[in-house]
Structures are given as C-alpha cells and as structure tokens.
Amino acid sequence: MTTTVPSLTGGTEGTGTGGTPEAPYALSHLDALESESVHIVREVAGEFERPVILFSGGKDSIVMLRLALKAFAPAAVPFTLLHVDTGHNFPEVLAYRDRTVAAHGLRLHVASVQEYIDAGTLRERPDGTRNPLQTLPLTEKIQAERFDAVFGGGRRDEEKARAKERIFSLRDEFSQWDPRRQRPELWQLYNGRHAPGEHVRVFPLSNWTELDIWQYIARERIELPEIYFAHEREVFSRHGMWLTAGEWGGPKDGEPTETRLVRYRTVGDMSCTGAVDSDATTLDAVIAEITASRLTERGASRADDKMSEAAMEDRKREGYF
Amino acid sequence: MTTTGHTAPEQLSATTLLRFATAGSVDDGKSTLVGRLLHDSKSVLTDQLEAVERASLGRGQDTPDLALLTDGLRAEREQGITIDVAYRYFATPRRRFILADTPGHVQYTRNMVTGASTAELAVVLVDARNGVVEQTRRHAAVAALLRVPHVVLAVNKMDLVAYTEPVFAAIAEEFTAYAASLGVPEVTAIPISALAGDNVVEPSAHMDWYGGPTVLEHLETVAVSHDLSGCPARFPVQYVIRPQSAEHPDYRGYAGQIASGVLRVGEAVTVLPSGRTSTIEGIDALGTGVDIAWAPQSVTVRLADDIDISRGDLIAPSAGLPAVTRDVAATVCHVADRPLTVGQRVLLKHTTRTVKAIVKDIPSRLTLDDLSQHPAPGRLVANDIGRVVIRTAEPLALDAYADSRRTGSFLLVDPADGTTLAAGMAGDSFAAAPPPAPAAGTDDEGWDF
C-alpha cells in the first residue's frame, strides 16, 4: 500500500501575536472543506432513495461531481445527473457536459426549456433571458422522476439570500423555499426526512467561496470548459456587461458587436451571463485575477440578479436552485 | 495590522479554517460589528457596497447602512431585523473564517444554539453602558452548554463611555467570573467601538490602556481546537462501498468522517453496537491509501475480517470504547414550535444512526437567566432548555457531549413529518468550574483573561 499522508499545516501557521502553534493534526482549509462536502454527499447516499446531481458544466457543479467521484471511489457514483437546458447554453459547455457524462459512465437527465416554449407551456420573455424559465422544467422533472434529493452547486458566498440557505433545504411539493420555515441545522446532523412529494435540495458546497473553488480546481487539476479562460469572442455591451452575440436574440439594433479578449466567471444562460475582459489563459492567472478583483462573480456577470434587490430570493422561493 | 479581503493563493492554501458565531441582543450593535469586520477586512467587494449604498439612498438614508450587507431576505430588509442564522465568509492572509451570524431577536436561544453548534469560538457582545445583563448571561450559558471552546467578550460602544478603562474592567471581571462558574475554559475580553472601528480590525487610538489584540487579530491567532485528534477515535459508518466491479471484485470499504481521534492501519477495532472485533487493514483517504487519518477527515476504512457492518454502526479502537446504552440522559434545546412532552414518541438521530425513542421523563427545565432548575415541567416549548431522559429502541454508542461534540450530540425528530424538535447533548449540562486562578494583581499586561 501507499503511504501518502495529507499535508499538515505544521507548527508554522498561527504562531503570530498571542497565538500558539496549531496542533499537528490540523487540516488545510481546502482539505477541511473537501472532507465536509464528502460527508454531506455520503449522507445523501445513505438516507435517500433517488438522489440526482444538478450538473450544468459550470465550475461549481464540476467540483461537486468531483467530490462525489471521490466520495465513492473505487465504486461508481450512485447518482444520476440532471441538466436544465435553457436552449441558450454555450456550445462548449454542452460539449464538456456530454464528454464528462460519457467519461464517468453516468446517466444524464435533461429538462429542456425549449421544449416547454415549443409546447406553449412557457412563453419567451421580452428581455430574452431564459434563466427564470428554468424553474418549471426543473420542478416538473423532479416530480416526474420522483427525485427525493437534488444536489445543487450553490454557495452561500454567492448572494445574500443564499447565505441563509441550509445545507439540507426541504422543499414542498411545489419545490418552494420558505426562508422563515427552515429547519435549524445543528452540528453535522442533517435532517433529510420529508413527506412523499416533498424533496430536499442539498448544497454540499455551501461553505466554499469562489476562490476556494478555483484553488481546488487547480489542486485537483480538473479540466474545465474553455470559456472559463481568456479567448477572443464576438460580444456586445448591454447593461454594462459583455454578452455573446448569438441565436438567442442578441444584439438588438444599436448594440454594435466587437471582438474582445474575454473569459467567463460563471456559466449560465447566454442571454444573461456576461463575460469579463481578461487575459487569463491559465488556472494560475485566473486565480490571480479573482484575487485582485473588486467585484463579486455575480455582480460581474449575472444580469438576472440585478433585476431587483431580492431577485435571487424570489426565484428560490419559486423553486429555483 | 493590515488585511486584505482576497489573499494570495499560496498563502491561503496553508491556512486553517475558524468557525465562529456572534451573539448579541438587538441594540448591542452586532450587525455593525459584523459589517465592520467584513468592511474593514476588505471582504466587501465594490458591487456589494454599491448595492448597499443604492438601497440606503433609496430609503432616504445619507450614509450606507452596513446592516444591509447581512440582512439578505426581503422580509429582513422590510422590517430592518435579522430573521435567521446566516453564514458569511471572509479571509485574511492568516486564516479563513466562517461566521455564523445569529440574530439576537426572538427565537434567540435556538438560533444561537444553531450557530454555536459548529462554532469553535463565540463572540458575546455587550453594550458598555449597560454592562452584563440578563441577555449576556443567557449567551454565556448557551456558549457553555454547547461547549464552545473559546469565548470572546466584546465590550462595545466604548466611545459612549469615553473609552474609560474602569468601565471595561468591571464588565470584563463580572463576565469572566460568571463564565468561569459555567466552566467556560477561556474568555478573552476586548473593548471595542464597532461604529467607530476601535479594536475591531484596527487597534484603537483611544484606549492606550488596552494592550491586547483586536477582535480580528484574536480570531486570526486563537488556537483552533484540533484536540479532536487527542480524543479516542470514533468512526460512524455512513455508507458501505462495494464496487463489485471486475477491477475491484472483493473491495468492501466503510465510508465515513472520523468524528474524533486518529485511526491507524493495523489497529484493533470493535464495531458497535454488535461488539464484533477486527483490525484496520487499510484506510483510503478519498482514493489515496494512507497509514493514518484523523478527525475530521472523510475516509474509507477496510477491515481484515468480513463482518456484518452497515450505516449507523460505529467503529472504535478496542482499547477505548464508548458506552453502549438505550437510556440517554441529556440536556436538550427545544427548537420546534410544537412542544416536547413526557411520553412522546420521537426519532433520535445520533451520528449516522436514527432510532425510535420515547421521552421517558423531563426532570427539569433550566432558567438561563439565573441557571436555576425548574423541576418536572412536563413539557418543553420553543427555546426551552431542559434535562430529558430518553429510552431508545436500539442501543446507541454514545459519548458524553463534554467528551465529543460529534458523538455526544443528537437530534430529536418528529416521526410524523420530520420536523426537527430538539437538539440534544448527552451527559452533564455544564462543565465543572475550573479551580480558582492565582491571586489577581500580579499581571497587568493586557486583558487576556
């Protein structure tokens, strides 16, 4: 057998003013976060019948999948994946999604916003964004497949309403979130009991920050969709953000396009996910850029959060993840 | 000292994590302290600050209201109150922090219990003008009950008492004596003004007499209690991993997070509650074989013998086993709106095991204000703390909460709809008070009580 001992922080940290050396068995913060998240993932495997991982091909869901792969190694991940396809996804991300699903022998469910629009169940919004339209296909898929635990890659550092979200978040038969009626979450004792028709949203990355995600991706050498790295792209400006021109409906008249060196900090619907100017082509460069940034990732790249002061909360109440 | 909100990755990757909770009543300035801590440690980014400024202006305020940084829900902003525990994240070059921001309002006990359950440190806020009040004692008692290893007394609004030392010293002395009587092992008292920024992140220019750390400096340097590794090992089995694949036809691993102590390959272990014994043949730390692993690592353990083990079992070194019992005497904090009554049938969730149970007795209810015991209350209602005696349908491998927060804690759950009813801590409520310290007056260096 091998004898790789996880890195110790040793006695060099925390020896500053008034402090004492850390105990020898300390974990680095990434190891502590990883360990906690794996615990959460395994709790779901132990307590639920039909869990599913929401997988968009974005960095958070990629890290979440990596944690699930590690949690059950050398066995397979005992969950299926679910992607809510807005119909306006970046082609590079869809290709990454399919590659990943195939590489790990996983099963992917897709809930399609386009199908709902084609059937007349959902109507295209005047602003063209399809993010709010994801909720119905998502919740109907959960009901149809009788998923009882739905993993989301949401992090509490993303947004104020998310800071209030439990790790195990009970949803009623309409998938609604009621922030006033959340179960207290004590110690590491997660209560996943639910009535038939209800389900639990599970957020194993709750305690991670954007920087943690990137540091972990670097440490684990995880491949990402290329749009996370600087590349030349035809974009146009709307509400102070660079949006990708495309079949989803942008640009309108008076929104000239130009080719810029950009990258994405988040991956979502093309109609509301903005690119940032960047020359970061490597993980190290991306980490350096985020470290220096004075904007949050959602502030920099998500139009849908800016619709109102409580946009995220309102979407979450309706069943959004 | 200086800090930056974002920190160079090479520094951060080696830092540890401190989880802490704040406690304070409505007008003690807790939101201001949290806002100040985030703002002055440069953890608030431009767009967040702009959003706060925009919202403040929209309400007719001429200065940004930092409480809006933390009040995330529509109802909270509408009412100007904090409804529920929120978790916040920030980092300095020395350490990464998870702050459980607990509201001081209604439902305070269950909220503080929630925040304190995972905290290694609690900041108790006191208004310097009012000193130690009923609510302060309540906060100290909850911190003591939850066995939070470190307690910080932040004496706030020092600017309103002319930054005078005697005011601070009297409050610090009273609080420290009270905390010591509850068995709180360590109290650090810091005089601050959250509004003016004194001793929160930057040292105060108004209190030369204070030689101790700022709040942030203390948070950065306090020794995180990894003495978990010094306790006897406890490994609750979460999930059995059996690939049954061509590559791993015979692999059988027990996955879990080490709750306390250290596990080593070759160690003799006992599986509870069955009592079967074996030795650890291998430890897989998330895919990598290791010889040794410790709390709170998530690992997979393989045993030399093929014995019947499933989720809910506990693996522990044969040399140091917990008691196995069906009779649980504990302190509970009741967190649900419906009461807990004698004779009630409940589910008890302990580590990875959930068993049927019945509330046999509620011998007393604790009055947090003066720590008196109200005998035989018959029931506990929301925010009550009381002693309970519970009989379980199956035996539990249970430690005292004093020995392990992880294997001494449990939830009581309503079997009908899954509501979490109560948070339980097995064994005695409060630690014994430490022996009296040497006579005071010999050390006037700072206020590191």
Side-chain angles (χ1 to χ4, degrees), chain A residues 135-187:
Chain A
T135 303
L136 187 67
L138 168 68
T139 54
E140 290 202 345
K141 193 70 169 178
I142 290 169
Q143 295 297 327
E145 297 285 342
R146 291 179 292 112
F147 294 129
D148 54 1
V150 180
F151 284 103
R155 310 186 321 264
R156 288 178 181 146
D157 85 317
E158 281 179 86
E159 210 274 338
K160 285 180 294 187
R162 284 228 162 122
K164 301 261 169 181
E165 177 76 89
R166 298 287 185 263
I167 289 171
F168 271 43
S169 180
L170 183 66
R171 302 297 172 103
D172 67 11
E173 60 195 305
F174 300 101
S175 290
Q176 294 178 113
W177 182 62
D178 185 348
R180 283 172 180 262
R181 300 185 63 83
Q182 301 191 88
R183 288 174 179 162
E185 204 152 75
L186 297 132
W187 297 288

Side-chain angles (χ1 to χ4, degrees), chain A residues 35 164 207 212 296 313-314, chain B residues 47 74 76 89 96 296:
Chain A
S35 177
K164 301 261 169 181
N207 287 326
D212 296 330
T296 65
E313 178 186 348
D314 294 346
Chain B
D47 56 314
R74 195 179 272 283
E76 291 176 326
Y89 304 83
R96 205 178 156 293

Side-chain angles (χ1 to χ4, degrees), chain B residues 117-146:
Chain B
S117 71
T118 51
E120 292 146 313
L121 181 147
V123 178
V124 176
L125 215 64
V126 169
D127 185 327
R129 296 170 302 175
N130 304 330
V132 174
V133 295
E134 185 182 308
Q135 187 80 324
T136 319
R137 283 192 287 272
R138 193 179 280 270
H139 293 148
V142 171
L145 201 59
L146 271 287

Side-chain angles (χ1 to χ4, degrees), chain B residues 380-442:
Chain B
L380 297 175
V381 300
N383 297 307
D384 276 355
I385 287 173
R387 295 288 297 168
V388 296
V389 177
I390 297 164
R391 174 81 170 164
T392 61
E394 295 166 48
L396 297 176
L398 192 73
D399 284 296
Y401 185 77
D403 296 328
S404 169
R405 292 170 93 185
R406 193 83 185 239
T407 52
S409 59
F410 60 85
L411 300 182
L412 297 183
V413 173
D414 189 326
D417 65 359
T419 301
T420 299
L421 298 172
M425 293 156 278
D428 293 333
S429 305
F430 293 103
T442 52

